Amino acid sequence: MPHFLAASAVHLPNLISDLGLILITAAIAVLLFRILKQPLVLGYLVAGFLAGSEFDFFPTVQDVNSVKVWAEIGVIFLLFSLGLEFSFKKLMKVGGTASITALTQIIVMVTIGFFVGQLMGWNKMNSIFLGVILSISSTTIILKTFDELSVKSQKFAGNVIGSLIVQDIIAILMMVLLSTIAVSQQFSGMELVLSVLKLVFFLTIWFVVGIFFIPTLLQKAKHLLTDEMMLIISLALCLLMVIFAANVGFSPALGAFIMGSIIAETTQAEHIEHLVKPVKDLFGAVFFVSVGMLINPDTLVEYALPVAILTLVVIFGQSISSTIGSLLSGQPLKQSIQAGMSLSQIGEFSFIIATLGTTLKVTNDFLYPIVVAVSAITTFTTPFMVKFAEPFSSFVEKKLPKKWVKRIQLYSANTEEIKSKSNWQIVLRSYLTQVVLHSIIIVAIILLSSTYLLPLVQDSKAGNVIAALITVVILSPFLWALSLRRVAVKQVQILMEEKKHQGPIIMLVLFRIALSLFYIGFVLNTFFSSGIAFIAFLVAVAAYILFPKKLHAIYHKIEHHFISNLNDREIRKENKRQNTLSPWDGHMTEFDIAKESNLAGKTLEELKIREQFGINIASIRRGEVIINIPIRSERLFPGDEISVIGTDDQVKEFKIYLDKNEIDVAEQTIETDIVLQKLELKNRVCIGKSIRESQIREKTHGIIVGIERNGKRILNPESHLVLEDSDILWIAGEKKKIAEFLKV
């Protein structure tokens, strides 16, 4: 037995011993950094430095290449996990604010980064990569910092997370563009356009096909899947998409991110995210440790000045550009500064982009360690930036001229009101979506058919006929939708009432029909000679005209299945969409009532939550039952999810109150679907009455959560407050009942 043990030790592969060394070093570093209350990512970087070849006083990793493979796996699972946190509906909800903030930040930082690189004497390719590297904030670092500082429930945090989602998408796009630039070594406009079109094409196909099949698969097999099977299937789907992405020339990380975002739209998303988290944490740790291994002290000493300059550029540049972007999007000054200071670091995407430059051999060796050093420093400063953001915003608000502050407030308020779109905008957007989406689906089907189906049947006598027939049958519902499906019906009817709009509308319809006929001719020409294709074309068009109702029914069935899968998660969480009382500081946050809570079993009247903290309970979710605007006699039960409306300070105090009364409670910042409606009181019967006497609560099944009176704002007003003429009320409640009240 001793001889066996000795032999085993001798033949232990370097990969296993290296992984053991990495994890042991990481564990020690993480414990120390947890005690010091510093970000864990910084601990991983230090662990990597200690385990690397540049540090001689510690055991060193033997097989660096194997560790790089582990690190690549870490990147894949890291982006898969980021994709699971990503939601297309979230993006649509915060799209305006998040997109303006993120785009402003990225454009400013890419520009600054490029010119700073040029001023330091770097070549163009190093400067381009530097600009992109400095423009992307770290989702991982920010989310961990928010968790550690317990600020995830504050209003600005939602804007930051939305901005990070947009940044992640743009980062993926920029990685594709950088690869194109790196290969061609020049700015070729046509190549960039083709790369973007290729990316849009494959993203659309992957998303449409993924949403159509994967949620159905997971739902149908739900009763068969154990946690182990669910984990294996999720990782298998992730790696399958990674293979697809690599085969069509994209980054494997892109495939992982896309599959994560597809699964994020399923009802199993939270469960899968929970199962994948340990795997992501393990391989993510290896990735960050591998980054730390590349830190060269000699290089850092040599490039100490660039590291210092770039650190200041990141901290001040990110903060200022994000704050400006947030202000431009209509956010109040306080939330804008908080968001800007939270985004002042670089992280995982910067490492990935720097790795891309090294892999493609278009950047110098010094760029990577400089980026790692800047990231390490800004990771360290992030918690302090988030902590001091609120007092700094108050300081700025006091120091700024009052006229400026008032203008910012007015701009923020007016921006919330500018949401209407013209009929032409709605029609054009609907038609463009219709044409692009169905064109991509049709082209994808034609390519798949000619590549895989035609070779299978080509040897038989009627092979081309069979392949063409199958292809046209599959295409038929999408061709019908492209040419004849009505969209934006209401807006089109309004526009058609005026003669000057009739011509353009008819031209749009004819264009769609002509495009459909082109696709029919294209597919038939692919399988037949020109003469036969023309005859087949006439037959196909005749069949197409004769069976419109059948095609409509088939397409409707396909569309219904897709939309059901897309909305299934949201339907099941119908009452969980976040609303904000903008430009007020009030916002909606959700908390769970733990099983061991001392609050369980008590009525809202007994708890006096409104009286203690000045917040309103907007809803209670109990399993599948949702109680909107609960009455005073309603009791709280273990497992209830309560949605409260209040300011950051009020929510923070309420959380402390819950923590004192609950054990193992998990705070959630889940979205809720209660409507916040603005109402201006003019010539209404309730004027001169108190809130309770006006019976607004009973008539709307809602509550007044805010009143604006003579420029002053009262959040969560008392029920004895008397309503005055020209008061502006904010009512939270059911959409239909509030709408009925407004009509009176």
Side-chain angles (χ1 to χ4, degrees), residues 666-706:
E667 180 194 346
Q668 298 184 350
T669 55
I670 308 174
E671 302 176 350
T672 178
D673 196 24
I674 291 178
V675 174
L676 285 170
Q677 182 69 51
K678 186 177 179 181
L679 168 64
E680 186 173 351
L681 291 186
K682 277 188 178 180
N683 303 321
R684 288 188 175 267
V685 293
C686 53
I687 294 171
K689 298 180 180 179
S690 67
I691 293 175
R692 181 175 294 178
E693 292 170 344
S694 68
Q695 295 189 326
I696 291 177
R697 180 190 182 99
E698 291 77 9
K699 293 175 182 176
T700 64
H701 198 201
I703 48 175
I704 298 176
V705 295

Short mmCIF file of all heavy atoms in Angstrom, two decimals, residues 666-706:
data_model
loop_
_atom_site.label_atom_id
_atom_site.label_comp_id
_atom_site.label_asym_id
_atom_site.label_seq_id
_atom_site.Cartn_x
_atom_site.Cartn_y
_atom_site.Cartn_z
N ALA A 666 -34.21 36.53 2.66
CA ALA A 666 -33.46 36.94 1.47
C ALA A 666 -34.13 38.13 0.83
O ALA A 666 -35.27 38.04 0.38
CB ALA A 666 -33.38 35.79 0.47
N GLU A 667 -33.44 39.26 0.86
CA GLU A 667 -34.00 40.44 0.21
C GLU A 667 -34.03 40.23 -1.29
O GLU A 667 -33.12 39.65 -1.86
CB GLU A 667 -33.15 41.67 0.52
CG GLU A 667 -33.68 42.92 -0.13
CD GLU A 667 -32.68 44.03 -0.10
OE1 GLU A 667 -31.70 43.94 0.63
OE2 GLU A 667 -32.90 44.99 -0.85
N GLN A 668 -35.08 40.68 -1.95
CA GLN A 668 -35.19 40.53 -3.39
C GLN A 668 -35.51 41.88 -4.00
O GLN A 668 -36.22 42.68 -3.42
CB GLN A 668 -36.29 39.54 -3.79
CG GLN A 668 -36.01 38.14 -3.27
CD GLN A 668 -37.06 37.17 -3.77
OE1 GLN A 668 -38.06 37.56 -4.32
NE2 GLN A 668 -36.80 35.91 -3.54
N THR A 669 -34.97 42.11 -5.17
CA THR A 669 -35.32 43.30 -5.94
C THR A 669 -36.00 42.84 -7.21
O THR A 669 -35.51 43.05 -8.30
CB THR A 669 -34.08 44.14 -6.26
OG1 THR A 669 -33.15 43.30 -6.93
CG2 THR A 669 -33.45 44.72 -5.02
N ILE A 670 -37.12 42.14 -7.02
CA ILE A 670 -37.84 41.56 -8.14
C ILE A 670 -38.81 42.59 -8.69
O ILE A 670 -39.22 43.52 -8.00
CB ILE A 670 -38.61 40.30 -7.68
CG1 ILE A 670 -37.67 39.35 -6.94
CG2 ILE A 670 -39.22 39.57 -8.85
CD1 ILE A 670 -38.35 38.17 -6.32
N GLU A 671 -39.15 42.43 -9.91
CA GLU A 671 -40.02 43.40 -10.56
C GLU A 671 -41.49 43.14 -10.24
O GLU A 671 -41.89 42.01 -10.03
CB GLU A 671 -39.80 43.35 -12.07
CG GLU A 671 -38.36 43.62 -12.43
CD GLU A 671 -38.10 43.49 -13.90
OE1 GLU A 671 -39.00 43.00 -14.61
OE2 GLU A 671 -37.02 43.87 -14.33
N THR A 672 -42.29 44.20 -10.16
CA THR A 672 -43.70 44.05 -9.86
C THR A 672 -44.54 44.76 -10.91
O THR A 672 -44.05 45.66 -11.57
CB THR A 672 -44.03 44.58 -8.45
OG1 THR A 672 -45.42 44.44 -8.22
CG2 THR A 672 -43.64 46.03 -8.29
N ASP A 673 -45.78 44.39 -11.01
CA ASP A 673 -46.60 44.86 -12.12
C ASP A 673 -47.72 45.80 -11.69
O ASP A 673 -48.69 45.94 -12.38
CB ASP A 673 -47.19 43.64 -12.83
CG ASP A 673 -47.72 44.03 -14.21
OD1 ASP A 673 -47.25 45.04 -14.74
OD2 ASP A 673 -48.60 43.33 -14.71
N ILE A 674 -47.61 46.42 -10.51
CA ILE A 674 -48.63 47.35 -10.06
C ILE A 674 -48.43 48.68 -10.80
O ILE A 674 -47.32 49.16 -10.93
CB ILE A 674 -48.56 47.55 -8.54
CG1 ILE A 674 -48.99 46.26 -7.85
CG2 ILE A 674 -49.41 48.71 -8.09
CD1 ILE A 674 -48.91 46.33 -6.37
N VAL A 675 -49.52 49.28 -11.25
CA VAL A 675 -49.45 50.49 -12.06
C VAL A 675 -49.37 51.72 -11.17
O VAL A 675 -50.06 51.84 -10.18
CB VAL A 675 -50.69 50.59 -12.97
CG1 VAL A 675 -50.70 51.91 -13.71
CG2 VAL A 675 -50.71 49.44 -13.95
N LEU A 676 -48.48 52.63 -11.53
CA LEU A 676 -48.41 53.94 -10.89
C LEU A 676 -48.95 54.97 -11.87
O LEU A 676 -48.40 55.13 -12.96
CB LEU A 676 -46.96 54.27 -10.52
CG LEU A 676 -46.39 53.54 -9.30
CD1 LEU A 676 -44.91 53.77 -9.20
CD2 LEU A 676 -47.08 53.97 -8.03
N GLN A 677 -50.04 55.63 -11.51
CA GLN A 677 -50.72 56.55 -12.43
C GLN A 677 -50.71 57.96 -11.87
O GLN A 677 -50.95 58.19 -10.68
CB GLN A 677 -52.17 56.08 -12.63
CG GLN A 677 -52.95 56.92 -13.60
CD GLN A 677 -52.45 56.76 -15.02
OE1 GLN A 677 -52.31 55.65 -15.50
NE2 GLN A 677 -52.17 57.87 -15.67
N LYS A 678 -50.43 58.93 -12.74
CA LYS A 678 -50.42 60.33 -12.36
C LYS A 678 -51.80 60.94 -12.61
O LYS A 678 -52.40 60.71 -13.65
CB LYS A 678 -49.35 61.04 -13.19
CG LYS A 678 -49.08 62.48 -12.82
CD LYS A 678 -47.94 63.00 -13.69
CE LYS A 678 -47.64 64.45 -13.38
NZ LYS A 678 -46.54 64.96 -14.25
N LEU A 679 -52.31 61.73 -11.65
CA LEU A 679 -53.64 62.33 -11.77
C LEU A 679 -53.59 63.77 -11.25
O LEU A 679 -53.16 64.01 -10.13
CB LEU A 679 -54.67 61.52 -10.98
CG LEU A 679 -56.04 62.17 -10.77
CD1 LEU A 679 -56.75 62.34 -12.10
CD2 LEU A 679 -56.89 61.34 -9.83
N GLU A 680 -54.03 64.71 -12.09
CA GLU A 680 -54.10 66.11 -11.67
C GLU A 680 -55.53 66.44 -11.27
O GLU A 680 -56.47 66.21 -12.03
CB GLU A 680 -53.64 67.02 -12.80
CG GLU A 680 -53.54 68.48 -12.37
CD GLU A 680 -52.93 69.36 -13.45
OE1 GLU A 680 -52.43 68.80 -14.45
OE2 GLU A 680 -52.96 70.60 -13.28
N LEU A 681 -55.70 66.95 -10.05
CA LEU A 681 -57.03 67.27 -9.53
C LEU A 681 -57.48 68.63 -10.05
O LEU A 681 -56.88 69.66 -9.74
CB LEU A 681 -57.02 67.30 -8.00
CG LEU A 681 -56.84 65.96 -7.27
CD1 LEU A 681 -56.99 66.17 -5.78
CD2 LEU A 681 -57.86 64.94 -7.76
N LYS A 682 -58.50 68.62 -10.86
CA LYS A 682 -59.11 69.86 -11.34
C LYS A 682 -60.60 69.65 -11.45
O LYS A 682 -61.05 68.77 -12.18
CB LYS A 682 -58.53 70.26 -12.70
CG LYS A 682 -57.21 71.01 -12.61
CD LYS A 682 -56.78 71.54 -13.96
CE LYS A 682 -55.47 72.32 -13.85
NZ LYS A 682 -55.04 72.85 -15.16
N ASN A 683 -61.36 70.44 -10.69
CA ASN A 683 -62.83 70.37 -10.74
C ASN A 683 -63.33 68.97 -10.44
O ASN A 683 -64.26 68.47 -11.08
CB ASN A 683 -63.34 70.83 -12.12
CG ASN A 683 -62.87 72.23 -12.46
OD1 ASN A 683 -62.83 73.10 -11.59
ND2 ASN A 683 -62.51 72.43 -13.72
N ARG A 684 -62.75 68.31 -9.47
CA ARG A 684 -63.21 66.97 -9.06
C ARG A 684 -63.92 67.07 -7.72
O ARG A 684 -63.60 67.93 -6.88
CB ARG A 684 -62.05 65.98 -8.98
CG ARG A 684 -61.51 65.58 -10.36
CD ARG A 684 -60.50 64.46 -10.25
NE ARG A 684 -60.07 64.01 -11.56
CZ ARG A 684 -60.61 63.01 -12.23
NH1 ARG A 684 -61.63 62.36 -11.71
NH2 ARG A 684 -60.16 62.66 -13.42
N VAL A 685 -64.86 66.15 -7.51
CA VAL A 685 -65.70 66.20 -6.31
C VAL A 685 -64.92 65.94 -5.04
O VAL A 685 -65.36 66.27 -3.94
CB VAL A 685 -66.86 65.19 -6.42
CG1 VAL A 685 -67.81 65.60 -7.52
CG2 VAL A 685 -66.33 63.78 -6.66
N CYS A 686 -63.74 65.31 -5.16
CA CYS A 686 -62.98 64.96 -3.97
C CYS A 686 -62.19 66.14 -3.40
O CYS A 686 -61.61 66.04 -2.32
CB CYS A 686 -62.03 63.79 -4.25
SG CYS A 686 -60.97 64.06 -5.67
N ILE A 687 -62.16 67.26 -4.11
CA ILE A 687 -61.42 68.43 -3.62
C ILE A 687 -62.08 68.95 -2.35
O ILE A 687 -63.31 69.08 -2.28
CB ILE A 687 -61.37 69.54 -4.71
CG1 ILE A 687 -60.55 69.05 -5.91
CG2 ILE A 687 -60.79 70.82 -4.15
CD1 ILE A 687 -60.62 69.98 -7.10
N GLY A 688 -61.27 69.26 -1.34
CA GLY A 688 -61.78 69.72 -0.06
C GLY A 688 -62.03 68.61 0.92
O GLY A 688 -62.33 68.86 2.09
N LYS A 689 -61.91 67.37 0.49
CA LYS A 689 -62.09 66.22 1.38
C LYS A 689 -60.73 65.64 1.73
O LYS A 689 -59.75 65.81 1.01
CB LYS A 689 -62.94 65.15 0.70
CG LYS A 689 -64.36 65.60 0.36
CD LYS A 689 -65.12 64.47 -0.31
CE LYS A 689 -66.54 64.90 -0.67
NZ LYS A 689 -67.29 63.82 -1.35
N SER A 690 -60.69 64.91 2.86
CA SER A 690 -59.45 64.22 3.21
C SER A 690 -59.30 63.00 2.29
O SER A 690 -60.25 62.60 1.60
CB SER A 690 -59.48 63.77 4.67
OG SER A 690 -60.47 62.76 4.85
N ILE A 691 -58.10 62.43 2.29
CA ILE A 691 -57.86 61.25 1.44
C ILE A 691 -58.83 60.13 1.80
O ILE A 691 -59.38 59.46 0.92
CB ILE A 691 -56.39 60.78 1.57
CG1 ILE A 691 -55.46 61.84 0.98
CG2 ILE A 691 -56.17 59.43 0.89
CD1 ILE A 691 -53.98 61.55 1.17
N ARG A 692 -59.06 59.95 3.09
CA ARG A 692 -59.96 58.88 3.52
C ARG A 692 -61.40 59.18 3.10
O ARG A 692 -62.12 58.32 2.61
CB ARG A 692 -59.89 58.70 5.04
CG ARG A 692 -60.78 57.59 5.58
CD ARG A 692 -60.56 57.38 7.06
NE ARG A 692 -59.22 56.87 7.33
CZ ARG A 692 -58.74 56.63 8.56
NH1 ARG A 692 -59.50 56.88 9.61
NH2 ARG A 692 -57.55 56.16 8.72
N GLU A 693 -61.83 60.46 3.26
CA GLU A 693 -63.21 60.83 2.91
C GLU A 693 -63.45 60.77 1.39
O GLU A 693 -64.56 60.53 0.94
CB GLU A 693 -63.50 62.26 3.40
CG GLU A 693 -63.56 62.38 4.93
CD GLU A 693 -63.61 63.83 5.39
OE1 GLU A 693 -63.30 64.73 4.57
OE2 GLU A 693 -63.93 64.07 6.56
N SER A 694 -62.40 60.99 0.60
CA SER A 694 -62.57 60.99 -0.86
C SER A 694 -62.89 59.62 -1.42
O SER A 694 -63.37 59.48 -2.54
CB SER A 694 -61.29 61.50 -1.53
OG SER A 694 -60.23 60.57 -1.36
N GLN A 695 -62.60 58.56 -0.63
CA GLN A 695 -62.85 57.16 -1.03
C GLN A 695 -62.12 56.77 -2.33
O GLN A 695 -62.57 55.90 -3.07
CB GLN A 695 -64.36 56.90 -1.20
CG GLN A 695 -65.13 57.02 0.12
CD GLN A 695 -66.57 56.55 -0.03
OE1 GLN A 695 -67.19 56.73 -1.08
NE2 GLN A 695 -67.10 55.93 1.02
N ILE A 696 -61.00 57.45 -2.57
CA ILE A 696 -60.20 57.08 -3.75
C ILE A 696 -59.70 55.65 -3.64
O ILE A 696 -59.66 54.91 -4.63
CB ILE A 696 -59.02 58.07 -3.92
CG1 ILE A 696 -59.55 59.45 -4.32
CG2 ILE A 696 -58.01 57.56 -4.96
CD1 ILE A 696 -58.48 60.51 -4.45
N ARG A 697 -59.34 55.26 -2.42
CA ARG A 697 -58.87 53.88 -2.21
C ARG A 697 -59.93 52.87 -2.61
O ARG A 697 -59.66 51.89 -3.30
CB ARG A 697 -58.49 53.69 -0.74
CG ARG A 697 -57.99 52.28 -0.42
CD ARG A 697 -57.85 52.06 1.08
NE ARG A 697 -57.33 50.74 1.35
CZ ARG A 697 -56.09 50.45 1.61
NH1 ARG A 697 -55.20 51.41 1.66
NH2 ARG A 697 -55.69 49.21 1.86
N GLU A 698 -61.17 53.12 -2.19
CA GLU A 698 -62.26 52.18 -2.48
C GLU A 698 -62.62 52.19 -3.97
O GLU A 698 -62.90 51.14 -4.56
CB GLU A 698 -63.50 52.52 -1.64
CG GLU A 698 -63.35 52.25 -0.14
CD GLU A 698 -62.53 53.32 0.58
OE1 GLU A 698 -62.23 54.37 -0.04
OE2 GLU A 698 -62.18 53.11 1.75
N LYS A 699 -62.60 53.37 -4.59
CA LYS A 699 -63.02 53.48 -5.99
C LYS A 699 -61.98 52.92 -6.95
O LYS A 699 -62.33 52.39 -8.01
CB LYS A 699 -63.30 54.95 -6.33
CG LYS A 699 -64.52 55.52 -5.61
CD LYS A 699 -64.66 57.01 -5.90
CE LYS A 699 -65.85 57.60 -5.15
NZ LYS A 699 -65.94 59.07 -5.34
N THR A 700 -60.71 53.07 -6.61
CA THR A 700 -59.64 52.61 -7.52
C THR A 700 -58.99 51.31 -7.08
O THR A 700 -58.19 50.74 -7.82
CB THR A 700 -58.52 53.68 -7.61
OG1 THR A 700 -57.92 53.82 -6.32
CG2 THR A 700 -59.08 55.01 -8.07
N HIS A 701 -59.38 50.85 -5.88
CA HIS A 701 -58.69 49.71 -5.28
C HIS A 701 -57.18 49.97 -5.28
O HIS A 701 -56.36 49.11 -5.60
CB HIS A 701 -58.99 48.40 -6.03
CG HIS A 701 -58.66 47.19 -5.21
ND1 HIS A 701 -58.44 45.96 -5.78
CD2 HIS A 701 -58.52 47.04 -3.88
CE1 HIS A 701 -58.18 45.09 -4.81
NE2 HIS A 701 -58.22 45.73 -3.66
N GLY A 702 -56.83 51.22 -4.90
CA GLY A 702 -55.43 51.63 -4.90
C GLY A 702 -55.15 52.54 -3.73
O GLY A 702 -55.99 52.76 -2.85
N ILE A 703 -53.92 53.08 -3.70
CA ILE A 703 -53.53 53.99 -2.63
C ILE A 703 -52.82 55.19 -3.24
O ILE A 703 -52.18 55.10 -4.29
CB ILE A 703 -52.59 53.31 -1.61
CG1 ILE A 703 -51.47 52.57 -2.35
CG2 ILE A 703 -53.32 52.39 -0.68
CD1 ILE A 703 -50.44 51.98 -1.42
N ILE A 704 -52.93 56.33 -2.55
CA ILE A 704 -52.20 57.53 -2.97
C ILE A 704 -50.82 57.45 -2.34
O ILE A 704 -50.68 57.51 -1.12
CB ILE A 704 -52.93 58.81 -2.52
CG1 ILE A 704 -54.32 58.89 -3.17
CG2 ILE A 704 -52.11 60.04 -2.88
CD1 ILE A 704 -55.14 60.06 -2.70
N VAL A 705 -49.80 57.31 -3.19
CA VAL A 705 -48.44 57.16 -2.67
C VAL A 705 -47.65 58.45 -2.76
O VAL A 705 -46.53 58.53 -2.25
CB VAL A 705 -47.68 56.03 -3.42
CG1 VAL A 705 -48.33 54.70 -3.17
CG2 VAL A 705 -47.63 56.32 -4.91
N GLY A 706 -48.21 59.47 -3.42
CA GLY A 706 -47.51 60.74 -3.50
C GLY A 706 -48.42 61.87 -3.93
O GLY A 706 -49.38 61.67 -4.67
#
